[in-house]
Short mmCIF file of all heavy atoms in Angstrom, two decimals:
data_model
loop_
_atom_site.label_atom_id
_atom_site.label_comp_id
_atom_site.label_asym_id
_atom_site.label_seq_id
_atom_site.Cartn_x
_atom_site.Cartn_y
_atom_site.Cartn_z
N ILE B 27 -7.82 58.32 -46.21
CA ILE B 27 -7.01 59.27 -45.45
C ILE B 27 -7.51 60.70 -45.68
O ILE B 27 -7.70 61.47 -44.73
CB ILE B 27 -5.53 59.18 -45.88
CG1 ILE B 27 -4.94 57.82 -45.53
CG2 ILE B 27 -4.71 60.31 -45.25
CD1 ILE B 27 -4.64 57.60 -44.10
N ALA B 28 -7.73 61.05 -46.95
CA ALA B 28 -8.13 62.42 -47.28
C ALA B 28 -9.53 62.76 -46.81
O ALA B 28 -9.82 63.91 -46.50
CB ALA B 28 -8.02 62.63 -48.79
N SER B 29 -10.42 61.77 -46.78
CA SER B 29 -11.81 62.05 -46.44
C SER B 29 -12.14 61.79 -44.98
O SER B 29 -13.23 62.17 -44.51
CB SER B 29 -12.73 61.17 -47.31
OG SER B 29 -12.51 59.78 -47.05
N SER B 30 -11.24 61.15 -44.24
CA SER B 30 -11.58 60.69 -42.89
C SER B 30 -12.01 61.81 -41.96
O SER B 30 -12.99 61.67 -41.22
CB SER B 30 -10.37 59.94 -42.29
OG SER B 30 -9.24 60.79 -42.23
N SER B 31 -11.29 62.93 -41.98
CA SER B 31 -11.65 64.02 -41.05
C SER B 31 -13.01 64.60 -41.40
O SER B 31 -13.79 64.96 -40.50
CB SER B 31 -10.58 65.11 -41.08
OG SER B 31 -10.43 65.65 -42.37
N TYR B 32 -13.33 64.69 -42.68
CA TYR B 32 -14.64 65.22 -43.09
C TYR B 32 -15.76 64.23 -42.77
O TYR B 32 -16.86 64.63 -42.38
CB TYR B 32 -14.62 65.55 -44.58
CG TYR B 32 -13.64 66.63 -44.93
CD1 TYR B 32 -12.39 66.33 -45.45
CD2 TYR B 32 -13.94 67.98 -44.71
CE1 TYR B 32 -11.47 67.32 -45.75
CE2 TYR B 32 -13.03 68.98 -45.01
CZ TYR B 32 -11.79 68.64 -45.53
OH TYR B 32 -10.88 69.63 -45.83
N ILE B 33 -15.48 62.94 -42.94
CA ILE B 33 -16.49 61.92 -42.63
C ILE B 33 -16.81 61.92 -41.14
O ILE B 33 -17.99 61.96 -40.73
CB ILE B 33 -16.01 60.53 -43.08
CG1 ILE B 33 -16.03 60.43 -44.61
CG2 ILE B 33 -16.89 59.43 -42.47
CD1 ILE B 33 -15.43 59.13 -45.14
N TYR B 34 -15.77 61.90 -40.31
CA TYR B 34 -16.00 61.77 -38.87
C TYR B 34 -16.37 63.09 -38.21
O TYR B 34 -17.26 63.13 -37.34
CB TYR B 34 -14.74 61.20 -38.19
CG TYR B 34 -14.56 59.71 -38.38
CD1 TYR B 34 -13.48 59.21 -39.10
CD2 TYR B 34 -15.46 58.81 -37.84
CE1 TYR B 34 -13.30 57.85 -39.26
CE2 TYR B 34 -15.29 57.44 -38.00
CZ TYR B 34 -14.21 56.97 -38.72
OH TYR B 34 -14.04 55.62 -38.88
N ILE B 35 -15.71 64.18 -38.59
CA ILE B 35 -15.94 65.46 -37.92
C ILE B 35 -17.19 66.15 -38.46
O ILE B 35 -18.07 66.56 -37.70
CB ILE B 35 -14.71 66.37 -38.05
CG1 ILE B 35 -13.52 65.75 -37.31
CG2 ILE B 35 -15.00 67.77 -37.49
CD1 ILE B 35 -12.20 66.52 -37.47
N ARG B 36 -17.30 66.28 -39.77
CA ARG B 36 -18.43 67.00 -40.35
C ARG B 36 -19.60 66.09 -40.70
O ARG B 36 -20.74 66.51 -40.67
CB ARG B 36 -17.96 67.78 -41.58
CG ARG B 36 -16.97 68.88 -41.19
CD ARG B 36 -16.70 69.86 -42.29
NE ARG B 36 -15.87 70.96 -41.80
CZ ARG B 36 -15.34 71.91 -42.56
NH1 ARG B 36 -15.53 71.89 -43.88
NH2 ARG B 36 -14.61 72.87 -42.03
N GLY B 37 -19.30 64.83 -41.03
CA GLY B 37 -20.37 63.89 -41.37
C GLY B 37 -21.06 63.34 -40.13
O GLY B 37 -22.29 63.42 -40.00
N PHE B 38 -20.28 62.79 -39.20
CA PHE B 38 -20.85 62.19 -37.98
C PHE B 38 -20.87 63.16 -36.80
O PHE B 38 -21.41 62.83 -35.74
CB PHE B 38 -20.06 60.93 -37.60
CG PHE B 38 -20.28 59.77 -38.53
CD1 PHE B 38 -19.23 59.22 -39.25
CD2 PHE B 38 -21.54 59.22 -38.70
CE1 PHE B 38 -19.42 58.15 -40.10
CE2 PHE B 38 -21.75 58.13 -39.54
CZ PHE B 38 -20.69 57.59 -40.25
N GLY B 39 -20.29 64.35 -36.95
CA GLY B 39 -20.35 65.36 -35.90
C GLY B 39 -19.44 65.12 -34.72
O GLY B 39 -19.74 65.60 -33.61
N LEU B 40 -18.32 64.43 -34.89
CA LEU B 40 -17.40 64.17 -33.80
C LEU B 40 -16.42 65.32 -33.64
O LEU B 40 -16.19 66.09 -34.57
CB LEU B 40 -16.62 62.88 -34.05
CG LEU B 40 -17.44 61.60 -34.30
CD1 LEU B 40 -16.51 60.43 -34.55
CD2 LEU B 40 -18.36 61.31 -33.12
N ASN B 41 -15.81 65.44 -32.44
CA ASN B 41 -14.75 66.44 -32.27
C ASN B 41 -13.42 65.85 -32.74
O ASN B 41 -13.32 64.67 -33.08
CB ASN B 41 -14.67 66.91 -30.82
CG ASN B 41 -14.37 65.78 -29.84
OD1 ASN B 41 -13.63 64.85 -30.14
ND2 ASN B 41 -14.97 65.86 -28.64
N GLU B 42 -12.38 66.71 -32.73
CA GLU B 42 -11.10 66.28 -33.29
C GLU B 42 -10.50 65.10 -32.53
O GLU B 42 -9.93 64.18 -33.15
CB GLU B 42 -10.10 67.45 -33.27
CG GLU B 42 -10.38 68.54 -34.29
CD GLU B 42 -11.39 69.57 -33.79
OE1 GLU B 42 -11.97 69.36 -32.70
OE2 GLU B 42 -11.59 70.58 -34.48
N LEU B 43 -10.61 65.07 -31.21
CA LEU B 43 -10.02 63.99 -30.44
C LEU B 43 -10.76 62.67 -30.68
O LEU B 43 -10.13 61.62 -30.85
CB LEU B 43 -10.02 64.33 -28.95
CG LEU B 43 -9.24 63.37 -28.05
CD1 LEU B 43 -7.77 63.30 -28.48
CD2 LEU B 43 -9.35 63.79 -26.59
N ALA B 44 -12.08 62.72 -30.72
CA ALA B 44 -12.86 61.51 -31.00
C ALA B 44 -12.54 60.99 -32.40
O ALA B 44 -12.43 59.78 -32.62
CB ALA B 44 -14.35 61.80 -30.87
N TYR B 45 -12.38 61.91 -33.34
CA TYR B 45 -12.00 61.51 -34.69
C TYR B 45 -10.67 60.75 -34.69
O TYR B 45 -10.52 59.71 -35.36
CB TYR B 45 -11.87 62.73 -35.60
CG TYR B 45 -10.91 62.57 -36.74
CD1 TYR B 45 -11.19 61.72 -37.80
CD2 TYR B 45 -9.69 63.26 -36.74
CE1 TYR B 45 -10.28 61.55 -38.84
CE2 TYR B 45 -8.79 63.10 -37.77
CZ TYR B 45 -9.08 62.25 -38.82
OH TYR B 45 -8.18 62.10 -39.84
N SER B 46 -9.72 61.24 -33.92
CA SER B 46 -8.40 60.59 -33.91
C SER B 46 -8.50 59.17 -33.37
O SER B 46 -7.76 58.29 -33.82
CB SER B 46 -7.42 61.41 -33.07
OG SER B 46 -7.76 61.37 -31.69
N TYR B 47 -9.42 58.92 -32.42
CA TYR B 47 -9.58 57.56 -31.90
C TYR B 47 -10.15 56.62 -32.96
O TYR B 47 -9.72 55.47 -33.08
CB TYR B 47 -10.48 57.57 -30.66
CG TYR B 47 -9.88 58.30 -29.48
CD1 TYR B 47 -10.69 58.98 -28.57
CD2 TYR B 47 -8.50 58.29 -29.26
CE1 TYR B 47 -10.14 59.64 -27.49
CE2 TYR B 47 -7.95 58.95 -28.17
CZ TYR B 47 -8.78 59.62 -27.29
OH TYR B 47 -8.23 60.28 -26.22
N PHE B 48 -11.15 57.08 -33.69
CA PHE B 48 -11.73 56.25 -34.75
C PHE B 48 -10.70 56.00 -35.85
O PHE B 48 -10.61 54.90 -36.40
CB PHE B 48 -12.97 56.92 -35.34
CG PHE B 48 -14.22 56.68 -34.54
CD1 PHE B 48 -14.69 57.63 -33.65
CD2 PHE B 48 -14.94 55.50 -34.67
CE1 PHE B 48 -15.83 57.41 -32.91
CE2 PHE B 48 -16.08 55.26 -33.93
CZ PHE B 48 -16.53 56.23 -33.05
N PHE B 49 -9.94 57.02 -36.18
CA PHE B 49 -8.89 56.86 -37.19
C PHE B 49 -7.86 55.84 -36.71
O PHE B 49 -7.41 54.98 -37.47
CB PHE B 49 -8.22 58.21 -37.46
CG PHE B 49 -7.28 58.19 -38.63
CD1 PHE B 49 -7.72 58.51 -39.90
CD2 PHE B 49 -5.95 57.87 -38.46
CE1 PHE B 49 -6.85 58.50 -40.98
CE2 PHE B 49 -5.08 57.86 -39.53
CZ PHE B 49 -5.53 58.17 -40.80
N ALA B 50 -7.50 55.92 -35.44
CA ALA B 50 -6.52 55.00 -34.87
C ALA B 50 -7.03 53.57 -34.88
O ALA B 50 -6.26 52.63 -35.07
CB ALA B 50 -6.17 55.43 -33.45
N PHE B 51 -8.36 53.38 -34.69
CA PHE B 51 -8.94 52.05 -34.70
C PHE B 51 -8.64 51.34 -36.02
O PHE B 51 -8.23 50.17 -36.05
CB PHE B 51 -10.45 52.15 -34.48
CG PHE B 51 -11.18 50.84 -34.64
CD1 PHE B 51 -11.11 49.86 -33.66
CD2 PHE B 51 -11.95 50.59 -35.77
CE1 PHE B 51 -11.79 48.65 -33.81
CE2 PHE B 51 -12.63 49.39 -35.92
CZ PHE B 51 -12.54 48.41 -34.94
N ASN B 52 -8.84 52.04 -37.13
CA ASN B 52 -8.55 51.45 -38.43
C ASN B 52 -7.05 51.34 -38.68
O ASN B 52 -6.59 50.39 -39.33
CB ASN B 52 -9.21 52.26 -39.56
CG ASN B 52 -10.70 52.05 -39.63
OD1 ASN B 52 -11.47 52.94 -39.28
ND2 ASN B 52 -11.13 50.87 -40.04
N ALA B 53 -6.31 52.29 -38.16
CA ALA B 53 -4.86 52.24 -38.35
C ALA B 53 -4.24 51.06 -37.61
O ALA B 53 -3.23 50.50 -38.05
CB ALA B 53 -4.23 53.54 -37.89
N ILE B 54 -4.84 50.64 -36.49
CA ILE B 54 -4.36 49.46 -35.78
C ILE B 54 -4.46 48.23 -36.68
O ILE B 54 -3.61 47.34 -36.66
CB ILE B 54 -5.14 49.26 -34.47
CG1 ILE B 54 -4.74 50.34 -33.46
CG2 ILE B 54 -4.91 47.88 -33.89
CD1 ILE B 54 -5.58 50.34 -32.20
N GLY B 55 -5.51 48.20 -37.51
CA GLY B 55 -5.63 47.12 -38.48
C GLY B 55 -4.47 47.12 -39.46
O GLY B 55 -3.94 46.06 -39.82
N MET B 56 -4.07 48.32 -39.89
CA MET B 56 -2.91 48.41 -40.79
C MET B 56 -1.65 47.91 -40.11
O MET B 56 -0.83 47.23 -40.72
CB MET B 56 -2.72 49.85 -41.27
CG MET B 56 -3.75 50.31 -42.28
SD MET B 56 -3.33 51.91 -43.02
CE MET B 56 -3.66 53.02 -41.66
N ILE B 57 -1.47 48.26 -38.83
CA ILE B 57 -0.28 47.84 -38.10
C ILE B 57 -0.19 46.32 -38.01
O ILE B 57 0.89 45.73 -38.13
CB ILE B 57 -0.27 48.45 -36.70
CG1 ILE B 57 -0.06 49.96 -36.78
CG2 ILE B 57 0.80 47.82 -35.82
CD1 ILE B 57 -0.16 50.65 -35.45
N SER B 58 -1.32 45.68 -37.83
CA SER B 58 -1.33 44.23 -37.66
C SER B 58 -1.13 43.48 -38.97
O SER B 58 -0.80 42.29 -38.97
CB SER B 58 -2.65 43.78 -37.03
OG SER B 58 -3.75 44.00 -37.91
N SER B 59 -1.33 44.15 -40.11
CA SER B 59 -1.36 43.44 -41.38
C SER B 59 -0.04 42.75 -41.75
O SER B 59 -0.07 41.60 -42.23
CB SER B 59 -1.81 44.39 -42.50
OG SER B 59 -0.98 45.54 -42.59
N PRO B 60 1.15 43.36 -41.56
CA PRO B 60 2.37 42.60 -41.88
C PRO B 60 2.54 41.35 -41.02
O PRO B 60 2.98 40.31 -41.51
CB PRO B 60 3.49 43.62 -41.61
CG PRO B 60 2.85 44.95 -41.72
CD PRO B 60 1.47 44.76 -41.19
N THR B 61 2.18 41.44 -39.74
CA THR B 61 2.26 40.28 -38.87
C THR B 61 1.29 39.20 -39.30
O THR B 61 1.62 38.00 -39.27
CB THR B 61 1.98 40.69 -37.41
OG1 THR B 61 2.91 41.69 -37.01
CG2 THR B 61 2.09 39.49 -36.48
#
């Protein structure tokens, strides 16, 4: 969580909106985990 914005925005050079999509991709995995 703490490093994600730096990894995607400054590490991979993505903009803020693109970063949010990648973050959401992994968060969808978290949502599915209880099910």
Side-chain angles (χ1 to χ4, degrees):
I27 295 285
S29 62
S30 59
S31 60
Y32 297 99
I33 289 174
Y34 283 115
I35 296 175
R36 295 193 173 172
F38 289 119
L40 304 180
N41 60 36
E42 288 85 353
L43 189 59
Y45 153 70
S46 69
Y47 294 148
F48 277 99
F49 189 91
F51 173 75
N52 286 108
I54 289 173
M56 287 190 287
I57 291 175
S58 67
S59 57
T61 302

